[in-house]
Amino acid sequence: MGHFEGKTAIVTGGAMGLGGATVERFAAEGANVVIADVNTEAATTLAKQLGGTTIHLPLDVRDPKAWAEVVAETEKRFGTVDILVNNAGVVDTGPFEEWTAERIQRLLDVNLLGVFHGIQAVLPGMKRAGGGSIVNIGSAGALEGFPQMSGYGASKWAVRGFSKIVALELGQYGIRVNSIHPGQFQTPMTSQVTFSTDHVALNRLGQPDEVADVVLFLAGDASRFITGADVSVDGGQTAGNAAYQGVPE
């Protein structure tokens, strides 16, 4: 029996990359998994590949109505939402002078408001169930400043602070909220970024399953007294104050 047998997890942006690895790990541990993603083709393919109680439900995280529909359907099929992984995100890079309010708003709508809508959507059910675990995927860019990522960094710093505040408010209901901050991972979302491992202590890029392992730890009973925490999964990139080396192509 897996560690998450009988538990239900919604993973946004779960069709590929860090989200896809997380979906695979939850499924391997016996969870009911909802791949909530706008990438219907990739999400459907992954759900079919994993089988069992892994399903795809289309979701644009910017849309609170769509969130309500996904949570309602999940509860109809599986009873409760025990775990929410807010993984969906977008990245944009460029010199500060080239940024516009519209570019920054796009990042905030997905990276921050998507998290906000998700937590609001699962909150009533988690309160009825007497608890739950919410894991928000931030970025190493929420732990230090990275050049040419002003809008992206702002959205991820916001997710980090938001996670702490919500953790304080929801703890009384047995709901834990933590954030994970990945460093340099080559995924479809970061395909426009060129990385250097010069200032990564472990001297390599991370693998998606290395984030997934931490997500499962924070989602499960082994972390039952952890909430409001920041967990960096960056190979030591943010441990010191060396200059960031990853720059857009």
Side-chain angles (χ1 to χ4, degrees):
M1 180 177 291
H3 289 97
F4 289 89
E5 200 78 32
K7 300 291 186 180
T8 300
I10 295 176
V11 182
T12 69
M16 59 180 62
L18 303 183
T22 298
V23 166
E24 291 178 11
R25 289 284 285 109
F26 272 127
E29 292 293 341
N32 309 312
V33 190
V34 175
I35 307 171
D37 205 310
V38 292
N39 189 340
T40 298
E41 182 177 356
T44 301
T45 298
L46 181 58
K48 288 180 179 178
Q49 173 190 324
L50 295 175
T53 55
T54 298
I55 65 171
H56 164 56
L57 294 177
L59 174 66
D60 182 338
V61 297
R62 300 170 298 180
D63 183 354
K65 181 180 178 181
W67 264 111
E69 292 171 352
V70 166
V71 171
E73 181 63 23
T74 302
E75 292 179 340
K76 178 181 176 182
R77 295 196 187 203
F78 303 120
T80 61
V81 177
D82 305 288
I83 301 154
L84 170 63
V85 182
N86 283 308
N87 168 78
V90 291
V91 67
D92 195 356
T93 62
F96 175 74
E97 302 95 303
E98 296 179 5
W99 281 88
T100 63
E102 290 75 18
R103 285 177 70 179
I104 291 180
Q105 190 62 56
R106 171 176 172 266
L107 292 168
L108 292 174
D109 286 345
V110 177
N111 296 350
L112 176 60
L113 291 181
V115 173
F116 166 77
H117 294 317
I119 295 176
Q120 282 208 327
V122 302
L123 181 55
M126 285 190 174
K127 287 172 69 174
R128 289 193 302 269
S133 179
I134 297 169
V135 181
N136 299 324
I137 305 301
S139 167
L143 302 174
E144 61 182 17
F146 291 171
Q148 300 197 25
M149 288 191 169
S150 53
Y152 178 78
S155 70
K156 292 299 187 178
W157 277 87
V159 167
R160 180 186 174 197
F162 180 70
S163 300
K164 290 182 177 294
I165 294 165
V166 177
L168 292 173
E169 295 190 27
L170 301 189
Q172 63 183 309
Y173 306 114
I175 300 170
R176 299 184 296 109
V177 185
N178 294 289
S179 59
I180 292 176
H181 303 286
Q184 300 189 75
F185 288 78
Q186 196 72 68
T187 68
M189 191 184 79
T190 61
S191 59
Q192 63 181 291
V193 178
T194 300
F195 292 117
S196 168
T197 60
D198 289 350
H199 296 285
V200 177
L202 296 182
N203 197 35
R204 65 175 176 85
L205 298 181
Q207 299 299 314
D209 65 307
E210 292 172 317
V211 168
D213 286 342
V214 181
V215 172
L216 265 70
F217 168 70
L218 290 175
D221 290 340
S223 62
R224 58 190 175 275
F225 200 57
I226 300 176
T227 194
D230 302 319
V231 181
S232 59
V233 186
D234 63 4
Q237 177 183 346
T238 59
N241 59 3
Y244 177 64
Q245 296 296 307
V247 295
E249 291 181 336

